[in-house]
Amino acid sequence: MTSEQLPKGRIYVAGHRGMVGAAVVRHLQQLGINDDDLITRDRSELNLIRQADVESFFDAERPDVVVFAAAKVGGIHANNTYPAEFIYDNLMMAANAIHAAYRFGTARFLFLGSTCIYPRMAPQPMPEDCLLTGPLESTNEAYALAKISGLKLCEHYRTQYGVKFHSAMPTNLYGPGDNYHPENSHVMPAMIRRFHEAVRDGLDEVVVWGTGTPRREFLHVDDLARGLIHLVNLDQPPNLVNVGTGTDISIRELAELIAETTGFDGKISQDTSKPDGTPVKRTNIDLIKSTGWQPRIDLETGVRKTYEDFLRASQSGALRAV
């Protein structure tokens, strides 16, 4: 089976209101999933931090497959400002869902993390086996520790109980449904909004955080969705696998690409008083490529499509900024 085939059984997509979960739902719908086989709950219907609520849900619904895209996420500013919330919320969501899935017979559980789980000075490109070989990046340590705990829960439940619980670590993501909050968003949506507003307001300069020298890898969320369904369909998936493009771009080069895409022709300056975060971050995707998956959407095309989605969402009042 491949990412182009629908997994068997009832599928619970946790976090379907977020960028990743929404992309997974779109892909499943494109593959022809029946409404009765697609299970979703928003936060008002199911609080994943409450163990009793999670266990009641799994007992009632008995999903065959779980794609766990629920998380409390944010950029450098949010991670620095709310570390207690990041570690507690993400730990509790992971532990509650993984244990309830085991208790109530879920056959397949795919846990989503992030490549921030790898050491700050990890070898580049980052292989899966560099996990826990060095200190984490301090700016997102709380989130990373929670995600490491989740993937280790899956690994140890698989070892002890024989369940197919496994994890995928996406690189930096972008695409439809991203969060465009001016302070709490990631670098790509923050730049898209900043350059768009500069054009709208007739500004002649945009200031970008940091030196512009850090290099980052970006994966379109629709490519990730295909990758996740591909992994769910594998008979023997890896315990942990990177999902990325294997290529990177400097923050300065990204700013220039977004400026071009949005039509900004003014000056781009760097605020070097702001933190850079990890110097270089690129995944080794040899493992997932060996299973038959690879990305399809190049960065220039992806940024253009993402900006078009940003414009539609802005005009319709549906832009996420939380």
Side-chain angles (χ1 to χ4, degrees):
M1 298 181 74
T2 70
S3 60
E4 308 308 323
Q5 293 175 287
L6 190 64
K8 294 179 180 178
R10 304 183 72 226
I11 304 172
Y12 169 44
V13 180
H16 75 290
R17 297 287 191 192
M19 177 172 65
V20 175
V24 172
V25 168
R26 284 197 304 273
H27 189 54
L28 290 171
Q29 290 171 337
Q30 289 165 3
L31 294 175
I33 193 169
N34 296 322
D35 289 344
D36 291 343
D37 288 334
L38 178 60
I39 306 167
T40 59
R41 293 289 188 278
D42 62 31
R43 200 171 305 168
S44 66
E45 297 171 308
L46 174 62
N47 186 341
L48 290 165
I49 296 172
R50 296 177 180 171
Q51 184 178 20
D53 294 357
V54 175
E55 296 207 342
S56 294
F57 164 76
F58 273 87
D59 187 18
E61 294 293 338
R62 307 279 174 143
D64 300 289
V65 176
V66 174
V67 178
F68 197 79
K72 181 179 180 66
V73 298
I76 291 174
H77 175 82
N79 275 271
N80 277 336
T81 307
Y82 315 112
E85 295 175 35
F86 274 86
I87 193 167
Y88 178 81
D89 289 2
N90 286 298
L91 271 174
M92 296 304 294
M93 286 190 282
N96 290 341
I98 291 165
H99 187 65
Y102 161 68
R103 279 197 64 198
F104 296 105
T106 295
R108 180 69 71 110
F109 192 110
L110 177 55
F111 178 76
L112 266 74
S114 162
T115 50
C116 73
I117 64 166
Y118 295 125
R120 170 178 166 80
M121 300 307 293
Q124 299 295 329
M126 298 177 289
E128 290 84 356
D129 61 9
C130 75
L131 178 67
L132 298 177
T133 59
L136 298 166
E137 165 59 47
S138 61
T139 56
N140 54 27
E141 180 189 75
Y143 179 78
L145 286 171
K147 287 301 179 181
I148 291 170
S149 297
L151 74 89
K152 284 297 183 182
L153 274 169
C154 288
E155 180 181 326
H156 293 309
Y157 273 57
R158 188 175 185 177
T159 298
Q160 183 170 340
Y161 302 126
V163 290
K164 287 185 181 176
F165 289 12
H166 52 112
S167 302
M169 298 299 123
T171 189
N172 297 301
L173 299 169
Y174 70 101
D178 210 340
N179 177 19
Y180 290 93
H181 189 280
E183 292 181 340
N184 293 341
S185 58
H186 289 103
V187 60
M188 174 85 79
M191 280 193 189
I192 288 175
R193 179 169 186 158
R194 198 171 304 154
F195 280 99
H196 169 79
E197 291 178 349
V199 173
R200 181 197 65 192
D201 298 340
L203 303 181
D204 57 8
E205 181 181 14
V206 169
V207 179
V208 176
W209 274 27
T211 64
T213 59
R215 302 190 66 82
R216 292 290 182 271
E217 173 186 26
F218 294 95
L219 177 70
H220 195 281
V221 71
D222 289 343
D223 268 341
L224 173 63
R226 285 193 310 103
L228 298 179
I229 300 307
H230 169 79
L231 290 169
V232 166
N233 282 327
L234 293 177
D235 288 336
Q236 292 299 327
N239 278 329
L240 165 65
V241 65
N242 294 331
V243 189
T245 64
T247 61
D248 62 21
I249 184 174
S250 76
I251 296 300
R252 176 71 187 198
E253 291 167 332
L254 177 66
E256 292 168 353
L257 172 60
I258 293 173
E260 181 181 356
T261 303
T262 58
F264 177 78
D265 57 6
K267 178 184 178 182
I268 303 173
S269 57
Q270 307 291 150
D271 181 355
T272 57
S273 70
K274 302 298 186 187
D276 273 338
T278 308
V280 180
K281 193 174 179 184
R282 184 173 77 254
T283 56
N284 183 319
I285 60 169
D286 290 347
L287 181 55
I288 193 168
K289 285 174 71 176
S290 74
T291 70
W293 176 91
Q294 60 183 8
R296 295 177 181 172
I297 302 171
D298 65 83
L299 188 60
E300 291 79 7
T301 301
V303 168
R304 176 176 51 79
K305 290 183 175 181
T306 299
Y307 183 53
E308 291 169 356
D309 179 78
F310 170 88
L311 293 174
R312 284 194 296 269
S314 296
Q315 292 164 1
S316 67
L319 192 71
R320 287 185 68 222
V322 295

